[in-house]
Amino acid sequence: MGNTAPDTHCSRRDCRATADWALVWNNPKIHTPDRRKVWVACDEHREYLANFLDMRGFLRETVPMAEFEG
């Protein structure tokens, strides 16, 4: 696995800020347990996106982009 490009933009709709966080998630109803999907977030939208995923039971971890290998 390689590092994500440094110019990755936040996954929040209409946000063009550089992403500082990787939100790793999985929907257990449709994904196998080892499958991981990733949304990326800027500092401003990290909590919003993490809460959205966590309320659904999807969020697995939040990792700084500098440490993320995906």
Side-chain angles (χ1 to χ4, degrees):
M1 290 188 209
N3 289 332
T4 304
D7 63 347
T8 301
H9 294 108
C10 180
S11 296
R12 176 75 162 114
R13 186 177 190 175
D14 296 327
C15 182
R16 300 304 296 159
T18 299
D20 298 309
W21 300 93
L23 288 75
V24 182
W25 63 278
N26 167 294
N27 180 343
K29 291 182 182 177
I30 61 173
H31 299 129
T32 59
D34 61 327
R35 172 89 188 265
R36 293 294 183 256
K37 308 263 301 172
V38 179
W39 283 356
V40 294
C42 64
D43 282 331
E44 180 181 352
H45 295 119
R46 178 182 64 112
E47 186 175 345
Y48 173 85
L49 293 170
N51 286 340
F52 180 91
L53 293 168
D54 196 38
M55 288 179 60
R56 290 156 179 80
F58 296 173
L59 186 62
R60 300 297 171 245
E61 64 180 326
T62 301
V63 181
M65 288 296 285
E67 298 173 17
F68 179 68
E69 292 184 17

Short mmCIF file of all heavy atoms in Angstrom, two decimals:
data_model
loop_
_atom_site.label_atom_id
_atom_site.label_comp_id
_atom_site.label_asym_id
_atom_site.label_seq_id
_atom_site.Cartn_x
_atom_site.Cartn_y
_atom_site.Cartn_z
N MET A 1 0.83 -1.19 0.00
CA MET A 1 0.00 0.00 0.00
C MET A 1 0.87 1.25 0.00
O MET A 1 1.81 1.34 0.77
CB MET A 1 -0.87 0.02 1.25
CG MET A 1 -1.95 -1.00 1.27
SD MET A 1 -3.02 -0.67 2.68
CE MET A 1 -3.56 -2.30 3.00
N GLY A 2 0.49 2.22 -0.79
CA GLY A 2 1.26 3.45 -0.84
C GLY A 2 0.51 4.58 -0.17
O GLY A 2 -0.65 4.47 0.16
N ASN A 3 1.18 5.69 0.04
CA ASN A 3 0.55 6.84 0.65
C ASN A 3 -0.37 7.53 -0.33
O ASN A 3 -0.13 7.53 -1.54
CB ASN A 3 1.60 7.84 1.15
CG ASN A 3 2.34 7.32 2.35
OD1 ASN A 3 1.79 6.53 3.11
ND2 ASN A 3 3.57 7.74 2.52
N THR A 4 -1.43 8.13 0.18
CA THR A 4 -2.37 8.87 -0.64
C THR A 4 -1.69 10.17 -1.07
O THR A 4 -0.90 10.74 -0.34
CB THR A 4 -3.64 9.18 0.17
OG1 THR A 4 -4.16 7.94 0.63
CG2 THR A 4 -4.68 9.86 -0.67
N ALA A 5 -2.03 10.65 -2.26
CA ALA A 5 -1.44 11.88 -2.79
C ALA A 5 -1.70 13.05 -1.86
O ALA A 5 -2.77 13.17 -1.29
CB ALA A 5 -2.03 12.17 -4.17
N PRO A 6 -0.72 13.94 -1.67
CA PRO A 6 -0.86 15.06 -0.74
C PRO A 6 -1.91 16.08 -1.16
O PRO A 6 -2.34 16.88 -0.35
CB PRO A 6 0.53 15.68 -0.71
CG PRO A 6 1.20 15.21 -1.93
CD PRO A 6 0.58 13.89 -2.29
N ASP A 7 -2.36 16.07 -2.40
CA ASP A 7 -3.36 17.04 -2.85
C ASP A 7 -4.78 16.48 -2.80
O ASP A 7 -5.67 16.99 -3.44
CB ASP A 7 -3.01 17.56 -4.24
CG ASP A 7 -3.03 16.45 -5.29
OD1 ASP A 7 -3.06 15.26 -4.92
OD2 ASP A 7 -3.01 16.79 -6.49
N THR A 8 -5.01 15.44 -2.02
CA THR A 8 -6.33 14.85 -1.89
C THR A 8 -7.26 15.85 -1.21
O THR A 8 -6.91 16.44 -0.19
CB THR A 8 -6.25 13.55 -1.06
OG1 THR A 8 -5.37 12.66 -1.73
CG2 THR A 8 -7.60 12.90 -0.92
N HIS A 9 -8.45 16.01 -1.77
CA HIS A 9 -9.42 16.95 -1.22
C HIS A 9 -10.43 16.27 -0.33
O HIS A 9 -10.77 15.11 -0.53
CB HIS A 9 -10.15 17.67 -2.36
CG HIS A 9 -9.26 18.56 -3.15
ND1 HIS A 9 -8.86 18.26 -4.43
CD2 HIS A 9 -8.66 19.72 -2.84
CE1 HIS A 9 -8.07 19.21 -4.87
NE2 HIS A 9 -7.92 20.10 -3.94
N CYS A 10 -10.93 17.01 0.63
CA CYS A 10 -11.92 16.56 1.59
C CYS A 10 -13.13 15.94 0.88
O CYS A 10 -13.56 16.40 -0.17
CB CYS A 10 -12.37 17.76 2.44
SG CYS A 10 -13.61 17.39 3.68
N SER A 11 -13.67 14.88 1.49
CA SER A 11 -14.83 14.17 0.91
C SER A 11 -16.15 14.89 1.16
O SER A 11 -17.18 14.52 0.57
CB SER A 11 -14.93 12.77 1.51
OG SER A 11 -13.82 11.98 1.15
N ARG A 12 -16.18 15.90 2.01
CA ARG A 12 -17.41 16.64 2.29
C ARG A 12 -17.84 17.34 1.01
O ARG A 12 -17.02 17.98 0.32
CB ARG A 12 -17.19 17.65 3.42
CG ARG A 12 -18.36 18.54 3.72
CD ARG A 12 -19.43 17.79 4.47
NE ARG A 12 -20.33 18.73 5.11
CZ ARG A 12 -21.61 18.88 4.78
NH1 ARG A 12 -22.14 18.12 3.83
NH2 ARG A 12 -22.34 19.75 5.40
N ARG A 13 -19.11 17.23 0.70
CA ARG A 13 -19.65 17.82 -0.53
C ARG A 13 -19.26 19.30 -0.65
O ARG A 13 -19.42 20.07 0.29
CB ARG A 13 -21.16 17.68 -0.53
CG ARG A 13 -21.79 18.12 -1.80
CD ARG A 13 -23.27 17.89 -1.75
NE ARG A 13 -23.84 18.11 -3.05
CZ ARG A 13 -25.09 17.90 -3.34
NH1 ARG A 13 -25.91 17.46 -2.42
NH2 ARG A 13 -25.54 18.11 -4.54
N ASP A 14 -18.76 19.67 -1.80
CA ASP A 14 -18.36 21.03 -2.16
C ASP A 14 -17.15 21.57 -1.41
O ASP A 14 -16.81 22.73 -1.56
CB ASP A 14 -19.53 22.01 -2.02
CG ASP A 14 -20.67 21.70 -2.96
OD1 ASP A 14 -20.41 21.21 -4.08
OD2 ASP A 14 -21.84 21.93 -2.58
N CYS A 15 -16.49 20.75 -0.61
CA CYS A 15 -15.28 21.21 0.08
C CYS A 15 -14.07 20.89 -0.79
O CYS A 15 -13.91 19.77 -1.25
CB CYS A 15 -15.13 20.53 1.45
SG CYS A 15 -13.68 21.12 2.36
N ARG A 16 -13.22 21.86 -1.00
CA ARG A 16 -12.02 21.68 -1.81
C ARG A 16 -10.76 21.78 -0.96
O ARG A 16 -9.66 21.86 -1.49
CB ARG A 16 -11.99 22.72 -2.95
CG ARG A 16 -13.17 22.67 -3.89
CD ARG A 16 -13.38 21.32 -4.55
NE ARG A 16 -12.26 20.97 -5.40
CZ ARG A 16 -11.95 19.76 -5.79
NH1 ARG A 16 -12.68 18.75 -5.42
NH2 ARG A 16 -10.91 19.53 -6.56
N ALA A 17 -10.92 21.78 0.36
CA ALA A 17 -9.76 21.87 1.25
C ALA A 17 -8.94 20.58 1.17
O ALA A 17 -9.47 19.50 0.91
CB ALA A 17 -10.22 22.11 2.69
N THR A 18 -7.66 20.71 1.44
CA THR A 18 -6.78 19.55 1.47
C THR A 18 -7.16 18.67 2.66
O THR A 18 -7.39 19.17 3.76
CB THR A 18 -5.31 19.99 1.59
OG1 THR A 18 -4.99 20.79 0.45
CG2 THR A 18 -4.37 18.80 1.66
N ALA A 19 -7.22 17.39 2.42
CA ALA A 19 -7.58 16.44 3.48
C ALA A 19 -6.41 16.22 4.43
O ALA A 19 -5.27 16.05 4.00
CB ALA A 19 -8.01 15.12 2.87
N ASP A 20 -6.72 16.23 5.73
CA ASP A 20 -5.73 15.99 6.77
C ASP A 20 -5.98 14.66 7.48
O ASP A 20 -5.13 14.22 8.24
CB ASP A 20 -5.78 17.11 7.81
CG ASP A 20 -5.45 18.46 7.21
OD1 ASP A 20 -4.42 18.56 6.53
OD2 ASP A 20 -6.25 19.41 7.39
N TRP A 21 -7.13 14.04 7.24
CA TRP A 21 -7.55 12.84 7.95
C TRP A 21 -8.10 11.80 7.00
O TRP A 21 -8.77 12.13 6.04
CB TRP A 21 -8.64 13.17 8.97
CG TRP A 21 -8.18 14.15 9.99
CD1 TRP A 21 -8.32 15.51 9.93
CD2 TRP A 21 -7.46 13.87 11.18
NE1 TRP A 21 -7.74 16.07 11.03
CE2 TRP A 21 -7.21 15.09 11.81
CE3 TRP A 21 -7.02 12.68 11.77
CZ2 TRP A 21 -6.53 15.15 13.01
CZ3 TRP A 21 -6.35 12.76 12.97
CH2 TRP A 21 -6.11 13.99 13.58
N ALA A 22 -7.83 10.53 7.30
CA ALA A 22 -8.44 9.41 6.57
C ALA A 22 -9.44 8.75 7.52
O ALA A 22 -9.08 8.36 8.63
CB ALA A 22 -7.37 8.40 6.15
N LEU A 23 -10.69 8.66 7.10
CA LEU A 23 -11.73 8.00 7.88
C LEU A 23 -11.97 6.64 7.23
O LEU A 23 -12.50 6.56 6.12
CB LEU A 23 -13.01 8.84 7.89
CG LEU A 23 -12.95 10.11 8.73
CD1 LEU A 23 -12.15 11.19 8.04
CD2 LEU A 23 -14.33 10.60 9.04
N VAL A 24 -11.54 5.62 7.91
CA VAL A 24 -11.61 4.26 7.38
C VAL A 24 -12.92 3.64 7.86
O VAL A 24 -13.21 3.65 9.06
CB VAL A 24 -10.40 3.44 7.86
CG1 VAL A 24 -10.43 2.04 7.27
CG2 VAL A 24 -9.09 4.15 7.50
N TRP A 25 -13.69 3.10 6.91
CA TRP A 25 -15.00 2.58 7.27
C TRP A 25 -15.35 1.32 6.50
O TRP A 25 -14.66 0.92 5.58
CB TRP A 25 -16.06 3.65 7.09
CG TRP A 25 -16.26 4.14 5.69
CD1 TRP A 25 -15.51 5.08 5.04
CD2 TRP A 25 -17.26 3.73 4.77
NE1 TRP A 25 -15.99 5.28 3.77
CE2 TRP A 25 -17.07 4.46 3.57
CE3 TRP A 25 -18.31 2.82 4.82
CZ2 TRP A 25 -17.89 4.31 2.46
CZ3 TRP A 25 -19.12 2.67 3.71
CH2 TRP A 25 -18.91 3.42 2.55
N ASN A 26 -16.44 0.71 6.92
CA ASN A 26 -16.92 -0.54 6.34
C ASN A 26 -18.40 -0.66 6.66
O ASN A 26 -18.81 -0.43 7.80
CB ASN A 26 -16.13 -1.69 6.98
CG ASN A 26 -16.71 -3.05 6.71
OD1 ASN A 26 -17.80 -3.37 7.16
ND2 ASN A 26 -15.98 -3.88 6.00
N ASN A 27 -19.22 -1.00 5.67
CA ASN A 27 -20.64 -1.26 5.89
C ASN A 27 -20.80 -2.77 6.02
O ASN A 27 -20.74 -3.49 5.03
CB ASN A 27 -21.47 -0.74 4.73
CG ASN A 27 -22.95 -0.98 4.91
OD1 ASN A 27 -23.38 -1.79 5.73
ND2 ASN A 27 -23.77 -0.25 4.16
N PRO A 28 -21.00 -3.26 7.24
CA PRO A 28 -21.05 -4.72 7.46
C PRO A 28 -22.20 -5.42 6.75
O PRO A 28 -22.14 -6.63 6.55
CB PRO A 28 -21.16 -4.85 8.98
CG PRO A 28 -21.66 -3.54 9.46
CD PRO A 28 -21.19 -2.52 8.47
N LYS A 29 -23.21 -4.66 6.32
CA LYS A 29 -24.34 -5.28 5.61
C LYS A 29 -23.98 -5.65 4.17
O LYS A 29 -24.58 -6.55 3.60
CB LYS A 29 -25.56 -4.36 5.61
CG LYS A 29 -26.18 -4.22 6.98
CD LYS A 29 -27.41 -3.35 6.92
CE LYS A 29 -28.00 -3.18 8.31
NZ LYS A 29 -29.16 -2.31 8.30
N ILE A 30 -23.00 -4.95 3.60
CA ILE A 30 -22.67 -5.20 2.20
C ILE A 30 -21.20 -5.53 1.94
O ILE A 30 -20.86 -5.98 0.87
CB ILE A 30 -23.11 -4.04 1.28
CG1 ILE A 30 -22.41 -2.74 1.65
CG2 ILE A 30 -24.62 -3.88 1.31
CD1 ILE A 30 -22.68 -1.60 0.69
N HIS A 31 -20.32 -5.27 2.93
CA HIS A 31 -18.89 -5.51 2.76
C HIS A 31 -18.43 -6.68 3.63
O HIS A 31 -18.94 -6.88 4.73
CB HIS A 31 -18.07 -4.28 3.16
CG HIS A 31 -18.37 -3.07 2.35
ND1 HIS A 31 -18.66 -1.85 2.91
CD2 HIS A 31 -18.45 -2.88 1.01
CE1 HIS A 31 -18.89 -0.96 1.96
NE2 HIS A 31 -18.76 -1.56 0.80
N THR A 32 -17.44 -7.41 3.15
CA THR A 32 -16.83 -8.45 3.98
C THR A 32 -16.10 -7.76 5.13
O THR A 32 -15.72 -6.58 5.01
CB THR A 32 -15.85 -9.30 3.15
OG1 THR A 32 -14.84 -8.45 2.62
CG2 THR A 32 -16.56 -10.03 2.02
N PRO A 33 -15.87 -8.44 6.25
CA PRO A 33 -15.23 -7.81 7.41
C PRO A 33 -13.87 -7.18 7.13
O PRO A 33 -13.50 -6.20 7.77
CB PRO A 33 -15.10 -8.95 8.42
CG PRO A 33 -16.18 -9.90 8.05
CD PRO A 33 -16.29 -9.81 6.53
N ASP A 34 -13.12 -7.72 6.18
CA ASP A 34 -11.78 -7.18 5.90
C ASP A 34 -11.79 -6.02 4.90
O ASP A 34 -10.78 -5.37 4.70
CB ASP A 34 -10.86 -8.28 5.41
CG ASP A 34 -11.33 -8.92 4.12
OD1 ASP A 34 -12.56 -9.01 3.91
OD2 ASP A 34 -10.48 -9.36 3.33
N ARG A 35 -12.92 -5.75 4.26
CA ARG A 35 -13.02 -4.66 3.28
C ARG A 35 -12.99 -3.32 3.97
O ARG A 35 -13.66 -3.12 4.97
CB ARG A 35 -14.32 -4.81 2.49
CG ARG A 35 -14.64 -3.66 1.56
CD ARG A 35 -14.03 -3.86 0.19
NE ARG A 35 -14.17 -2.71 -0.64
CZ ARG A 35 -15.14 -2.51 -1.53
NH1 ARG A 35 -16.08 -3.40 -1.68
NH2 ARG A 35 -15.17 -1.43 -2.27
N ARG A 36 -12.21 -2.39 3.47
CA ARG A 36 -12.14 -1.05 4.03
C ARG A 36 -12.32 -0.02 2.93
O ARG A 36 -11.71 -0.10 1.87
CB ARG A 36 -10.79 -0.81 4.73
CG ARG A 36 -10.60 -1.66 5.98
CD ARG A 36 -11.59 -1.26 7.06
NE ARG A 36 -11.39 -1.98 8.29
CZ ARG A 36 -12.18 -2.98 8.70
NH1 ARG A 36 -13.16 -3.41 7.95
NH2 ARG A 36 -11.97 -3.54 9.86
N LYS A 37 -13.17 0.94 3.21
CA LYS A 37 -13.39 2.07 2.32
C LYS A 37 -12.81 3.29 3.05
O LYS A 37 -12.66 3.27 4.27
CB LYS A 37 -14.88 2.28 2.07
CG LYS A 37 -15.62 1.04 1.61
CD LYS A 37 -15.82 0.91 0.15
CE LYS A 37 -16.58 2.05 -0.44
NZ LYS A 37 -16.61 2.01 -1.88
N VAL A 38 -12.52 4.35 2.33
CA VAL A 38 -11.91 5.52 2.94
C VAL A 38 -12.57 6.80 2.44
O VAL A 38 -12.75 6.98 1.23
CB VAL A 38 -10.39 5.59 2.63
CG1 VAL A 38 -9.76 6.83 3.25
CG2 VAL A 38 -9.70 4.33 3.12
N TRP A 39 -12.95 7.63 3.38
CA TRP A 39 -13.29 9.02 3.10
C TRP A 39 -12.14 9.83 3.67
O TRP A 39 -11.53 9.43 4.65
CB TRP A 39 -14.57 9.45 3.79
CG TRP A 39 -15.83 8.96 3.16
CD1 TRP A 39 -15.98 8.25 2.00
CD2 TRP A 39 -17.14 9.16 3.67
NE1 TRP A 39 -17.29 7.99 1.77
CE2 TRP A 39 -18.04 8.55 2.77
CE3 TRP A 39 -17.66 9.80 4.79
CZ2 TRP A 39 -19.41 8.55 2.97
CZ3 TRP A 39 -19.02 9.81 4.99
CH2 TRP A 39 -19.89 9.19 4.08
N VAL A 40 -11.84 10.96 3.07
CA VAL A 40 -10.81 11.84 3.60
C VAL A 40 -11.46 13.15 4.02
O VAL A 40 -12.47 13.56 3.46
CB VAL A 40 -9.66 12.05 2.59
CG1 VAL A 40 -8.93 10.74 2.35
CG2 VAL A 40 -10.16 12.62 1.28
N ALA A 41 -10.88 13.78 5.04
CA ALA A 41 -11.50 14.98 5.59
C ALA A 41 -10.47 16.04 5.95
O ALA A 41 -9.36 15.72 6.38
CB ALA A 41 -12.28 14.61 6.85
N CYS A 42 -10.89 17.28 5.79
CA CYS A 42 -10.10 18.40 6.29
C CYS A 42 -10.39 18.52 7.80
O CYS A 42 -11.30 17.85 8.32
CB CYS A 42 -10.47 19.69 5.56
SG CYS A 42 -12.18 20.24 5.82
N ASP A 43 -9.64 19.36 8.49
CA ASP A 43 -9.87 19.53 9.92
C ASP A 43 -11.30 19.99 10.22
O ASP A 43 -11.92 19.54 11.17
CB ASP A 43 -8.88 20.54 10.52
CG ASP A 43 -7.50 19.95 10.74
OD1 ASP A 43 -7.40 18.72 10.97
OD2 ASP A 43 -6.52 20.71 10.70
N GLU A 44 -11.82 20.89 9.40
CA GLU A 44 -13.16 21.45 9.63
C GLU A 44 -14.26 20.39 9.53
O GLU A 44 -15.23 20.43 10.27
CB GLU A 44 -13.44 22.57 8.62
CG GLU A 44 -14.81 23.19 8.79
CD GLU A 44 -15.11 24.29 7.77
OE1 GLU A 44 -14.20 24.69 7.02
OE2 GLU A 44 -16.26 24.73 7.74
N HIS A 45 -14.12 19.42 8.62
CA HIS A 45 -15.19 18.44 8.39
C HIS A 45 -14.94 17.05 8.97
O HIS A 45 -15.77 16.17 8.84
CB HIS A 45 -15.46 18.34 6.88
CG HIS A 45 -16.01 19.60 6.32
ND1 HIS A 45 -15.35 20.32 5.34
CD2 HIS A 45 -17.13 20.30 6.63
CE1 HIS A 45 -16.06 21.40 5.06
NE2 HIS A 45 -17.13 21.42 5.83
N ARG A 46 -13.81 16.86 9.63
CA ARG A 46 -13.50 15.54 10.20
C ARG A 46 -14.58 15.06 11.16
O ARG A 46 -15.07 13.93 11.03
CB ARG A 46 -12.16 15.57 10.93
CG ARG A 46 -11.81 14.24 11.57
CD ARG A 46 -10.50 14.32 12.31
NE ARG A 46 -10.61 15.25 13.42
CZ ARG A 46 -10.58 14.89 14.69
NH1 ARG A 46 -10.42 13.65 15.03
NH2 ARG A 46 -10.68 15.80 15.63
N GLU A 47 -14.97 15.87 12.10
CA GLU A 47 -15.98 15.47 13.09
C GLU A 47 -17.32 15.18 12.42
O GLU A 47 -17.99 14.20 12.74
CB GLU A 47 -16.12 16.53 14.16
CG GLU A 47 -17.05 16.10 15.29
CD GLU A 47 -17.10 17.10 16.43
OE1 GLU A 47 -16.23 18.00 16.51
OE2 GLU A 47 -18.03 16.99 17.24
N TYR A 48 -17.74 16.03 11.49
CA TYR A 48 -19.02 15.84 10.79
C TYR A 48 -19.05 14.50 10.06
O TYR A 48 -19.99 13.71 10.21
CB TYR A 48 -19.25 16.99 9.80
CG TYR A 48 -20.46 16.77 8.93
CD1 TYR A 48 -21.73 17.13 9.36
CD2 TYR A 48 -20.33 16.18 7.67
CE1 TYR A 48 -22.85 16.91 8.57
CE2 TYR A 48 -21.44 15.96 6.88
CZ TYR A 48 -22.70 16.33 7.33
OH TYR A 48 -23.80 16.09 6.54
N LEU A 49 -18.01 14.22 9.28
CA LEU A 49 -17.97 12.98 8.51
C LEU A 49 -17.82 11.76 9.41
O LEU A 49 -18.46 10.72 9.19
CB LEU A 49 -16.86 13.03 7.46
CG LEU A 49 -17.06 14.04 6.34
CD1 LEU A 49 -15.80 14.18 5.50
CD2 LEU A 49 -18.24 13.67 5.46
N ALA A 50 -17.00 11.87 10.45
CA ALA A 50 -16.82 10.77 11.39
C ALA A 50 -18.14 10.46 12.11
O ALA A 50 -18.51 9.28 12.27
CB ALA A 50 -15.72 11.09 12.40
N ASN A 51 -18.86 11.48 12.53
CA ASN A 51 -20.16 11.27 13.20
C ASN A 51 -21.16 10.60 12.25
O ASN A 51 -21.91 9.72 12.68
CB ASN A 51 -20.72 12.58 13.73
CG ASN A 51 -20.01 13.07 14.95
OD1 ASN A 51 -19.35 12.31 15.65
ND2 ASN A 51 -20.12 14.36 15.22
N PHE A 52 -21.18 11.02 11.01
CA PHE A 52 -22.07 10.43 10.01
C PHE A 52 -21.83 8.93 9.91
O PHE A 52 -22.76 8.12 9.94
CB PHE A 52 -21.86 11.11 8.65
CG PHE A 52 -22.73 10.56 7.56
CD1 PHE A 52 -23.96 11.11 7.29
CD2 PHE A 52 -22.30 9.49 6.78
CE1 PHE A 52 -24.77 10.61 6.28
CE2 PHE A 52 -23.10 8.96 5.77
CZ PHE A 52 -24.34 9.53 5.52
N LEU A 53 -20.57 8.55 9.79
CA LEU A 53 -20.22 7.13 9.68
C LEU A 53 -20.44 6.37 10.99
O LEU A 53 -20.95 5.25 10.99
CB LEU A 53 -18.76 6.98 9.23
CG LEU A 53 -18.44 7.46 7.82
CD1 LEU A 53 -16.94 7.54 7.60
CD2 LEU A 53 -19.10 6.56 6.78
N ASP A 54 -20.07 6.99 12.10
CA ASP A 54 -20.17 6.33 13.40
C ASP A 54 -21.63 6.07 13.79
O ASP A 54 -21.94 5.00 14.34
CB ASP A 54 -19.48 7.17 14.46
CG ASP A 54 -19.20 6.39 15.73
OD1 ASP A 54 -18.85 5.19 15.63
OD2 ASP A 54 -19.33 6.97 16.82
N MET A 55 -22.53 6.99 13.49
CA MET A 55 -23.95 6.81 13.81
C MET A 55 -24.53 5.59 13.10
O MET A 55 -25.49 4.99 13.58
CB MET A 55 -24.75 8.06 13.45
CG MET A 55 -24.50 9.23 14.38
SD MET A 55 -25.43 10.71 13.91
CE MET A 55 -27.10 10.11 14.01
N ARG A 56 -23.95 5.21 11.99
CA ARG A 56 -24.42 4.05 11.22
C ARG A 56 -23.64 2.78 11.56
O ARG A 56 -23.91 1.72 11.00
CB ARG A 56 -24.30 4.38 9.74
CG ARG A 56 -25.32 5.43 9.32
CD ARG A 56 -24.91 6.20 8.08
NE ARG A 56 -25.95 7.15 7.73
CZ ARG A 56 -26.12 8.34 8.31
NH1 ARG A 56 -25.33 8.73 9.29
NH2 ARG A 56 -27.09 9.15 7.92
N GLY A 57 -22.66 2.91 12.44
CA GLY A 57 -21.85 1.76 12.82
C GLY A 57 -20.81 1.39 11.78
O GLY A 57 -20.33 0.27 11.75
N PHE A 58 -20.43 2.34 10.91
CA PHE A 58 -19.50 2.08 9.81
C PHE A 58 -18.06 2.45 10.14
O PHE A 58 -17.14 1.86 9.58
CB PHE A 58 -19.90 2.87 8.56
CG PHE A 58 -21.22 2.50 7.95
CD1 PHE A 58 -21.73 3.26 6.91
CD2 PHE A 58 -21.98 1.43 8.38
CE1 PHE A 58 -22.94 2.95 6.31
CE2 PHE A 58 -23.19 1.11 7.80
CZ PHE A 58 -23.68 1.88 6.75
N LEU A 59 -17.84 3.46 10.97
CA LEU A 59 -16.50 3.99 11.20
C LEU A 59 -15.62 2.96 11.91
O LEU A 59 -16.00 2.39 12.93
CB LEU A 59 -16.55 5.27 12.04
CG LEU A 59 -15.24 6.01 12.23
CD1 LEU A 59 -14.67 6.49 10.89
CD2 LEU A 59 -15.41 7.18 13.17
N ARG A 60 -14.45 2.71 11.37
CA ARG A 60 -13.50 1.76 11.96
C ARG A 60 -12.35 2.48 12.63
O ARG A 60 -11.90 2.09 13.69
CB ARG A 60 -12.97 0.78 10.90
CG ARG A 60 -14.05 -0.05 10.25
CD ARG A 60 -14.75 -0.95 11.28
NE ARG A 60 -15.92 -1.59 10.69
CZ ARG A 60 -17.17 -1.38 11.07
NH1 ARG A 60 -17.44 -0.54 12.05
NH2 ARG A 60 -18.17 -1.99 10.48
N GLU A 61 -11.83 3.53 11.96
CA GLU A 61 -10.75 4.31 12.57
C GLU A 61 -10.57 5.63 11.83
O GLU A 61 -10.98 5.77 10.68
CB GLU A 61 -9.43 3.54 12.58
CG GLU A 61 -8.86 3.23 11.22
CD GLU A 61 -7.54 2.46 11.28
OE1 GLU A 61 -6.75 2.70 12.22
OE2 GLU A 61 -7.32 1.63 10.39
N THR A 62 -9.97 6.59 12.53
CA THR A 62 -9.61 7.87 11.95
C THR A 62 -8.11 8.02 12.09
O THR A 62 -7.57 7.90 13.19
CB THR A 62 -10.34 9.02 12.67
OG1 THR A 62 -11.75 8.80 12.56
CG2 THR A 62 -9.99 10.37 12.06
N VAL A 63 -7.45 8.27 10.96
CA VAL A 63 -5.98 8.27 10.92
C VAL A 63 -5.49 9.57 10.26
O VAL A 63 -6.03 9.96 9.21
CB VAL A 63 -5.47 7.06 10.09
CG1 VAL A 63 -3.97 7.02 10.06
CG2 VAL A 63 -6.06 5.77 10.59
N PRO A 64 -4.49 10.24 10.84
CA PRO A 64 -3.91 11.39 10.14
C PRO A 64 -3.39 10.98 8.76
O PRO A 64 -2.82 9.89 8.61
CB PRO A 64 -2.76 11.83 11.05
CG PRO A 64 -3.08 11.24 12.39
CD PRO A 64 -3.83 9.97 12.12
N MET A 65 -3.60 11.80 7.77
CA MET A 65 -3.16 11.48 6.41
C MET A 65 -1.66 11.17 6.35
O MET A 65 -1.25 10.31 5.58
CB MET A 65 -3.49 12.62 5.44
CG MET A 65 -4.97 12.74 5.13
SD MET A 65 -5.66 11.31 4.28
CE MET A 65 -5.00 11.56 2.65
N ALA A 66 -0.88 11.83 7.18
CA ALA A 66 0.57 11.60 7.18
C ALA A 66 0.92 10.18 7.58
O ALA A 66 1.98 9.67 7.22
CB ALA A 66 1.26 12.59 8.12
N GLU A 67 0.02 9.52 8.31
CA GLU A 67 0.26 8.14 8.77
C GLU A 67 -0.54 7.10 7.99
O GLU A 67 -0.34 5.91 8.18
CB GLU A 67 -0.12 8.02 10.25
CG GLU A 67 0.71 8.91 11.15
CD GLU A 67 0.20 8.90 12.57
OE1 GLU A 67 -0.57 7.99 12.96
OE2 GLU A 67 0.56 9.83 13.32
N PHE A 68 -1.44 7.56 7.12
CA PHE A 68 -2.33 6.65 6.41
C PHE A 68 -1.62 5.96 5.24
O PHE A 68 -0.96 6.60 4.44
CB PHE A 68 -3.55 7.38 5.88
CG PHE A 68 -4.49 6.53 5.11
CD1 PHE A 68 -5.22 5.53 5.74
CD2 PHE A 68 -4.64 6.67 3.73
CE1 PHE A 68 -6.09 4.72 5.03
CE2 PHE A 68 -5.50 5.86 3.01
CZ PHE A 68 -6.22 4.90 3.66
N GLU A 69 -1.78 4.66 5.18
CA GLU A 69 -1.31 3.88 4.04
C GLU A 69 -2.51 3.16 3.47
O GLU A 69 -3.08 2.29 4.11
CB GLU A 69 -0.25 2.88 4.49
CG GLU A 69 1.03 3.53 4.94
CD GLU A 69 2.09 2.52 5.28
OE1 GLU A 69 1.96 1.36 4.87
OE2 GLU A 69 3.04 2.90 5.96
N GLY A 70 -2.92 3.55 2.31
CA GLY A 70 -4.12 2.93 1.76
C GLY A 70 -4.14 2.87 0.28
O GLY A 70 -3.30 3.22 -0.44
#
